[in-house]
Amino acid sequence: FASDSVVVGASQSGRVLRSTDAGLTWQGLNGPLYFAPRVLDFQDTLNGVALPFASSLPAYTTADGGLTWTQSATWPGTGAIAPQPGEQAGTAVRFGPGGIGMAAGTQGTLFRTTDAGQTWTEVDTSGVPQYGDLYGVSFASASVGVAFGNYDRKSLYRTTDGGAHWSAVGANVQPTGPLGGWLKVAFSDASVVVALDSNGMTARSTDGGVNWL
């Protein structure tokens, strides 16, 4: 959602859809998104970012709520997020308070933007397994965030320095089912964060991701 009524979605065929009535009706947009956008998010009602399926393809930004898109000034090239041909690059992107955005990817990589996605800087993900993929990320503030990933999507991580370093949390909660994995993690306010698994079950923290139930 770019706002309470505007919703923007992207398909792997490269088509971008936009709704102005909270998803009741949709309009296809013509634009430069010839790649297969995998994930997108909005910083506010106007500014958003769409990340590609592979790091050799460009990322795009919008400044008008998704009506038009412009190629990002910089985005990590081949080998930065997806060192093997065909590997998925941007697996998650999320903007937090203050306009700071984080993009997660394969190989445990994480990138940070402070200019609405125009430029990206790789951050050190100490505490995340070197070859573990990050699939979701959410921030309560410019410094505190939670991510999930690793091979089986069963691991939760927390940072208190804007993504520079991470520590494992939530060892007492696990996704349900033998093949279950975390699908989504999101802060509802500065303290409450919820993780959703592939079987529709949730885990919840009320202290910013330190302890989980």
Side-chain angles (χ1 to χ4, degrees):
F1 278 85
S3 68
D4 290 340
S5 58
V6 176
V7 192
V8 181
S11 71
Q12 291 188 3
S13 65
R15 190 182 187 197
V16 177
L17 301 174
R18 188 173 187 268
S19 171
T20 58
D21 54 14
L24 292 176
T25 59
W26 295 83
Q27 175 187 8
L29 302 178
N30 295 320
L33 292 179
Y34 60 86
F35 70 100
R38 179 172 175 80
V39 290
L40 57 82
D41 192 39
F42 278 79
Q43 172 183 339
D44 50 39
T45 58
L46 296 177
N47 297 287
V49 172
L51 299 186
F53 191 80
S55 60
S56 58
L57 298 173
Y60 282 85
T61 61
T62 179
D64 56 13
L67 287 173
T68 59
W69 295 81
T70 303
Q71 185 172 330
S72 180
T74 63
W75 175 248
T78 302
I81 292 185
Q84 300 299 322
E87 281 194 359
Q88 300 168 355
T91 54
V93 60
R94 182 67 62 188
F95 280 97
I100 296 176
M102 305 294 294
T106 56
Q107 304 294 318
T109 51
L110 194 68
F111 289 80
R112 186 174 185 262
T113 180
T114 58
D115 55 10
Q118 287 300 315
T119 58
W120 297 85
T121 302
E122 186 172 5
V123 298
D124 177 22
T125 52
S126 298
V128 177
Q130 183 178 2
Y131 298 107
D133 298 344
L134 293 175
Y135 293 99
V137 61
S138 182
F139 275 76
S141 66
S143 57
V144 176
V146 172
F148 70 87
N150 213 340
Y151 295 109
D152 53 9
R153 301 195 187 198
K154 295 182 183 296
S155 302
L156 291 166
Y157 303 94
R158 183 175 185 267
T159 178
T160 58
D161 55 12
H165 301 88
W166 297 80
S167 58
V169 294
N172 61 307
V173 294
Q174 290 290 313
T176 56
L179 300 178
W182 299 118
L183 285 181
K184 190 78 172 180
V185 61
F187 278 91
S188 61
D189 58 35
S191 300
V192 177
V193 55
V194 176
L196 173 71
D197 76 9
S198 54
N199 291 306
M201 300 300 290
T202 61
R204 185 172 183 264
S205 170
T206 58
D207 56 9
V210 177
N211 298 289
W212 291 79
L213 297 173

